[in-house]
Amino acid sequence: MTDDVGLITGTVVSGGRTNDTMPTVRVNLTGALAGDSVQLYNGTTVLGTAVTLASTDVANGYVDITTSVLAEGSHTFTATLTDIAGNTSSASATGYTVTIDTTAPSVAPTIALVSDDVAPLTGTVASGGRTNDTAPTIRVSLSGTEATEGYAVQLRDGGTALGSAVTLTSADISAGYVDITTGTLAEGSHAFTATLTDLAGNASTASTCAVVASSRDTTNNLHLSAHLGSPLLGEHTRVLELGTIAP
C-alpha cells in the first residue's frame, strides 16, 4: 500500500498508519490473464468497481488500485479475481490492515534552549541573544506532547526546514527532549521553531520561536584581563571575553 499525502509518503506496512484517505493498494496477480478483473474489498464491503486487467498488468504481476475516500479508523483490504467466464476466486487469504488517521498532534513541542559550544563564550544562548556558533544545538522539549517513539521533530528557521526531520527514539521520549544541531547558518537573525509529526504523517502547529543572532566573524574577539588585588581576598585574575565585536 502506498501513501502519497503529507510529510510521510511511501509504503505503508500492514498494521501501519496513514493520513492518506485514498491510498493506493497493490494487488499481486497469480495465474491472471488479460481481461480478468480484480475487485477490491474493505472488510466485506466492495470498494468501487472491478478493475479489468490489461496485458501490462499481467506482465507486471500486479495491479495498483486507488481506493475511494476512506473514513478514519481501521481498514482491512482483500481482493478477488474474476475470469472472463465470470468465475470468481475466494478473497485474499490474508487481509492488509491499515489505520486511517488524519488528526494532527494537538500540542506542539517547544524550543527549550539554544546551546553554543564555540569559544570564547559557550553555554545557553537566550532567546534574543547573540552567538558566534554557526551550527548551534537546539533543544526541543517534548513535554506535554503526545510524542512516542517513531514520531518526528522538524526544526525550522522561519519557514525554512533545517535539515531532515529527526525520528524520535525511546531514549528521546524518556529524556523528554531531543537535541538537534543545525546546519551552518548565515550571519543574521534566526527564528527557530519546531513541529511534531505523528506516525501517520500529521504535523502539529509550529512551536513558539526562539530568536538568536549568529555571527561568524571571530577575528575581533576582545579579551580583557583585569588584575585585581585585595587584602581580604588575595590576588585574582579575571578574564572577561566579550564575544564578537565589529571592527
Side-chain angles (χ1 to χ4, degrees):
M1 174 172 292
T2 304
D3 173 335
D4 62 3
V5 172
L7 298 175
I8 299 177
T9 59
T11 301
V12 182
V13 299
S14 185
R17 305 178 75 87
T18 177
N19 63 343
D20 188 347
T21 58
M22 295 177 63
T24 298
V25 181
R26 175 162 292 182
V27 180
N28 290 326
L29 306 172
T30 302
L33 301 173
D36 290 354
S37 61
V38 170
Q39 178 64 63
L40 192 63
Y41 289 83
N42 177 18
T44 58
T45 302
V46 172
L47 283 178
T49 57
V51 174
T52 301
L53 299 177
S55 57
T56 53
D57 298 323
V58 174
N60 290 335
Y62 63 83
V63 62
D64 288 336
I65 303 174
T66 299
T67 73
S68 54
V69 176
L70 302 173
E72 289 208 14
S74 180
H75 300 269
T76 299
F77 301 103
T78 59
T80 58
L81 178 68
T82 300
D83 64 21
I84 296 174
N87 303 298
T88 301
S89 72
S90 57
S92 315
T94 303
Y96 200 102
T97 301
V98 299
T99 298
I100 305 294
D101 174 9
T102 60
T103 303
S106 59
V107 179
T110 56
I111 304 297
L113 59 86
V114 177
S115 295
D116 173 334
D117 62 1
V118 174
L121 298 177
T122 60
T124 300
V125 182
S127 184
R130 302 180 71 86
T131 177
N132 67 337
D133 187 347
T134 59
T137 297
I138 315 299
R139 176 162 292 182
V140 181
S141 172
L142 306 174
S143 178
T145 72
E146 62 189 58
T148 62
E149 183 178 2
Y151 276 39
V153 169
Q154 178 64 65
L155 190 64
R156 295 181 183 275
D157 179 5
T160 303
L162 288 177
S164 301
V166 174
T167 301
L168 299 176
T169 66
S170 57
D172 298 325
I173 301 303
S174 297
Y177 64 84
V178 60
D179 287 337
I180 303 174
T181 299
T182 70
T184 301
L185 303 174
E187 289 196 32
S189 181
H190 299 271
F192 299 113
T193 60
T195 56
L196 179 67
T197 301
D198 65 20
L199 297 175
N202 304 297
S204 72
T205 56
S207 64
T208 54
C209 70
V211 180
V212 299
S214 175
S215 175
R216 293 191 294 175
D217 182 3
T218 59
T219 61
N220 293 290
N221 286 335
L222 179 62
H223 302 271
L224 301 181
S225 179
H227 191 68
L228 306 178
S230 166
L232 296 177
L233 299 177
E235 295 197 342
H236 301 268
T237 299
R238 181 174 299 163
V239 178
L240 306 178
E241 299 177 305
L242 305 183
T244 300
I245 297 179

